[in-house]
């Protein structure tokens, strides 16, 4: 679960599975941020990023991944 969307200050990522790391990628495919975490709840500040569409890719310990599209305002 990735929320809120759209986001302006802090993005929360909540999962049932254990997270290995999370990538924030801009619309042109550039990796903007990589956040390592092994918890089920991760908070990423996004105030420093330009407004626009981004992708969040959550990589899990079991090597699966999940992608979400977010809008940073």
């Amino acid at each position: 679960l990735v929320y809120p969307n759209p986001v302006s200050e802090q993005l929360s990522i909540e999962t049932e599975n254990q997270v290995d790391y999370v990538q924030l990628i801009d619309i042109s495919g550039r990796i903007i941020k990589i956040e390592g975490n092994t918890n089920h709840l991760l908070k990423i500040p996004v105030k420093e990023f330009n407004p626009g569409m981004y992708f969040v890719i959550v990589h899990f310990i079991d090597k699966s991944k999940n992608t979400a599209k977010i809008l940073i305002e």
Side-chain angles (χ1 to χ4, degrees):
L1 179 61
V2 177
Y3 61 93
N5 193 10
V7 60
S8 58
E9 294 197 19
Q10 182 171 274
L11 182 68
S12 295
I13 300 167
E14 193 171 343
T15 68
E16 292 182 12
N17 298 330
Q18 197 168 17
V19 175
D20 188 10
Y21 64 98
V22 174
Q23 294 174 305
L24 183 63
I25 299 173
D26 71 12
I27 201 71
S28 66
R30 289 179 298 166
I31 297 173
I32 303 299
K33 186 170 187 71
I34 297 177
E35 190 77 35
N37 190 327
T38 57
N39 294 321
H40 299 279
L41 178 61
L42 176 65
K43 296 185 183 288
I44 300 174
V46 296
K47 289 191 294 193
E48 64 194 81
F49 304 120
N50 292 329
M53 194 68 65
Y54 291 81
F55 295 97
V56 176
I57 304 176
V58 181
H59 297 263
F60 297 100
I61 294 289
D62 68 3
K63 304 300 180 200
S64 64
K65 60 184 175 181
N66 219 348
T67 302
K69 189 177 357 176
I70 63 162
L71 177 65
I72 296 178
E73 297 182 320

